[in-house]
């Protein structure tokens, strides 16, 4: 093969790998928001579709005319580690009320390609009124309007609605605000990543509804064949590797452990990592995929821009060196940091700031699979050995 041909093949592989990681980090990529990324996904959509289906069992939908690509990710287990977040300054996670209004808004937006914020609010009032288990929506109350605005701004962020005249934030202080929206009904439908449409599920309680929504018939249900069991093992373990910062062997099911230990399983896991541009770290304790340019993730650790994550790195050093410690010890250590650096982390420089900083830092450590809390005891997990604190001033990561 000529040098030019080799270069073209290498370039194609690199583009596919970059597109895979982009979609993992942003399952909805829009032409309007990122033309270069969307054009790359559109150009390589066939191998991308095949890759996600083979390794993960996930469906990729690319709509060139509509200008978006949607990776329909389905998790093997339910998780609350990636909540929807408010698009306003606080970036706080959605509560139950905001999720409820998000669903009601999405349902009502399907009825018309154009609407106003007032008309949509009234339709949500009516929709909530006919659902016995849904609290009534009262747009007169300021907290209700704030929750409604948060739901709408998230839909705007995903391109499901576009404000043609006026701004959504104006509704916060004025129930009579005038905002005109164009609705992309196709994109509204694509936002829901569930193998089974909600309309096909009979009411059977919250837990049963969630299980029914995420049921994937391709794996055979309660009586799978050998082929279906192997398919499930492959998809479920690779989904976890792509979705979670670290996967520990002790957390795998017997079927997943057997698959990961088999010659075929090891080869497929390594191939998936290589084709997506990851470096696979395999240890006795588990697996970790490293993305050198952080394209495939929406969260980073270490992260100097977050006070909680800086504190998490310092507390992690304590956990690694001193073994399991009590939560009270972490509170005291965080309070000591605030006293030593009174101009740092000003949001925590108040009464009770130490425990709040320790709680936020511990949340970050648990999210990244670096620590575990059992009762009052907090212990470092094996992946924590990758990090150390330089005794100078910088925080560095072990090679």
């Amino acid at each position: 093969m000529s040098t030019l041909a080799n270069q073209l093949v290498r370039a194609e592989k690199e583009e596919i790998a970059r597109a895979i990681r982009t979609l993992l980090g942003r399952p909805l990529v829009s032409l309007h928001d990122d033309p270069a990324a969307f054009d790359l996904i559109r150009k390589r959509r066939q191998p991308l579709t095949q890759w996600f289906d083979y390794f993960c069992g996930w469906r990729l939908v690319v709509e060139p005319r509509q200008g978006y690509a949607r990776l329909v990710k389905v998790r093997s287990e339910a998780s609350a580690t990636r909540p929807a977040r408010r698009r306003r300054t606080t970036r706080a996670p959605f509560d139950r009320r905001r999720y409820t209004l998000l669903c009601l808004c999405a349902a009502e937006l399907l009825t018309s390609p154009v609407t106003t914020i007032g008309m949509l609010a009234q339709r949500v009032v009516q929709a909530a009124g006919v659902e016995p288990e849904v609290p009534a929506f009262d747009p007169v109350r300021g907290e209700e309007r704030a929750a409604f605005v948060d739901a709408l701004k998230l839909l705007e962020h995903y391109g499901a609605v576009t404000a043609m005249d006026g701004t959504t934030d104006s509704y916060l202080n004025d129930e009579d605000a005038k905002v005109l929206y164009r609705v992309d009904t196709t994109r509204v439908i694509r936002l829901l990543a569930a193998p089974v449409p909600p309309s096909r599920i009979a009411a059977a309680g919250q837990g049963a509804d969630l299980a029914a929504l995420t049921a994937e018939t391709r794996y055979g249900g309660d009586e799978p064949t050998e082929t279906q069991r192997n398919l499930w093992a492959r998809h479920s373990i690779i989904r976890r590797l792509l979705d979670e910062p670290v996967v520990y062997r002790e957390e795998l099911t017997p079927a997943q452990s057997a698959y990961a230990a088999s010659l075929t399983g090891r080869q497929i896991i390594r191939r998936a990592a290589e084709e997506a541009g990851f470096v696979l770290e395999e240890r006795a304790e588990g697996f970790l995929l490293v993305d050198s340019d952080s394209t495939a993730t929406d969260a980073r650790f270490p992260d100097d821009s977050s006070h909680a994550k800086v504190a998490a790195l310092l507390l992690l050093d304590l956990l690694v060196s001193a073994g399991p410690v009590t939560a009270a010890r972490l509170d005291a250590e965080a309070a000591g940091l605030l006293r030593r650096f009174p101009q740092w982390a000003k949001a925590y420089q108040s009464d009770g700031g130490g425990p709040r900083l320790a709680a936020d830092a511990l949340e970050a450590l648990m999210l990244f699979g670096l620590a575990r809390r059992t009762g009052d005891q907090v212990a470092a997990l094996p992946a924590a050995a990758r990090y150390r604190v330089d005794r100078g001033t910088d925080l560095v990561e072990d090679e």
Side-chain angles (χ1 to χ4, degrees), residues 1-313:
M1 186 180 293
S2 68
T3 302
L4 177 59
N6 284 330
Q7 291 175 343
L8 291 174
V9 170
R10 189 181 306 112
E12 180 180 356
K13 289 181 178 179
E14 290 175 352
E15 287 184 349
I16 292 171
R18 187 165 70 254
I20 289 171
R21 298 197 309 279
T22 297
L23 285 162
L24 290 171
R26 290 180 288 153
L28 180 61
V29 177
S30 171
L31 172 64
H32 179 268
D33 296 329
D34 194 338
F38 176 77
D39 187 59
L40 176 60
I41 293 167
R42 178 195 56 77
K43 183 172 67 172
R44 302 298 184 189
R45 63 183 179 274
Q46 182 175 352
L48 289 172
T49 300
Q50 294 171 347
W51 191 94
F52 282 112
D53 179 67
Y54 179 78
F55 288 110
C56 314
W58 289 337
R59 186 164 56 96
L60 175 63
V61 179
V62 181
E63 295 285 358
R65 293 185 179 181
Q66 300 292 332
Y68 69 87
R70 174 68 163 122
L71 176 61
V72 185
K73 295 174 64 176
V74 181
R75 287 186 61 93
S76 301
E77 298 86 18
S79 172
T81 59
R82 290 293 187 273
R85 293 191 176 273
R86 306 173 199 183
R87 303 302 301 176
R88 291 185 289 152
T89 54
T90 61
R91 298 288 293 162
F94 267 36
D95 53 20
R96 186 180 183 88
R97 184 55 171 162
R98 283 167 171 79
Y99 278 121
T100 300
L101 291 176
L102 176 66
C103 293
L104 290 174
C105 286
E108 295 304 317
L109 286 170
L110 295 176
T111 62
S112 174
V114 177
T115 189
T116 67
I117 198 166
M119 292 172 60
L120 180 60
Q122 287 306 309
R123 287 205 294 265
V124 170
V125 169
Q126 296 169 4
V130 300
E131 295 291 341
E133 297 183 5
V134 175
F137 173 57
D138 182 6
V140 174
R141 297 169 54 197
E143 63 270 24
E144 286 280 81
R145 291 200 305 275
F148 182 71
V149 165
D150 286 333
L152 269 176
K153 287 181 73 69
L154 187 65
L155 290 168
E156 279 189 279
H157 171 67
Y158 289 129
V161 296
T162 302
M164 305 299 294
D165 186 23
T167 61
T168 303
D169 284 325
S170 64
Y171 193 70
L172 288 169
N173 300 315
D174 183 5
E175 183 189 353
D176 296 321
K178 307 298 182 184
V179 187
L180 177 66
Y181 294 109
R182 182 180 66 231
V183 184
D184 186 337
T185 54
T186 303
R187 196 174 306 202
V188 172
I189 295 171
R190 295 292 188 199
L191 292 180
L192 183 63
V196 181
S199 59
R200 297 186 183 178
I201 298 175
Q206 183 178 349
D209 287 349
L210 181 60
L213 272 174
T214 57
E216 297 177 83
T217 57
R218 70 188 298 178
Y219 303 115
D222 295 331
E223 297 182 0
T225 64
E226 184 67 21
T227 299
Q228 288 171 325
R229 280 193 292 269
N230 289 334
L231 186 65
W232 168 246
R234 179 210 306 165
H235 288 170
S236 61
I237 194 171
I238 293 179
R239 285 177 183 182
R240 292 191 62 178
L241 282 168
L242 296 174
D243 261 353
E244 300 176 16
V246 59
V247 175
Y248 293 108
R249 294 184 190 273
E250 65 180 25
E251 298 173 346
L252 299 177
T253 66
Q256 290 172 332
S257 295
Y259 183 82
S262 69
L263 178 61
T264 299
R266 290 167 66 92
Q267 290 175 338
I268 288 179
I269 290 172
R270 289 174 181 173
R271 180 180 148 203
E274 179 183 354
E275 291 182 6
F278 292 105
V279 175
L280 174 65
E281 289 191 7
E282 183 177 357
R283 302 285 188 267
E285 299 87 359
F287 307 86
L288 183 148
L289 291 179
V290 179
D291 179 13
S292 59
D293 58 10
S294 300
T295 301
T297 183
D298 60 348
R300 293 172 175 80
F301 188 87
D303 184 358
D304 291 346
S305 66
S306 166
H307 294 136
K309 289 180 181 177
V310 171
L313 196 59

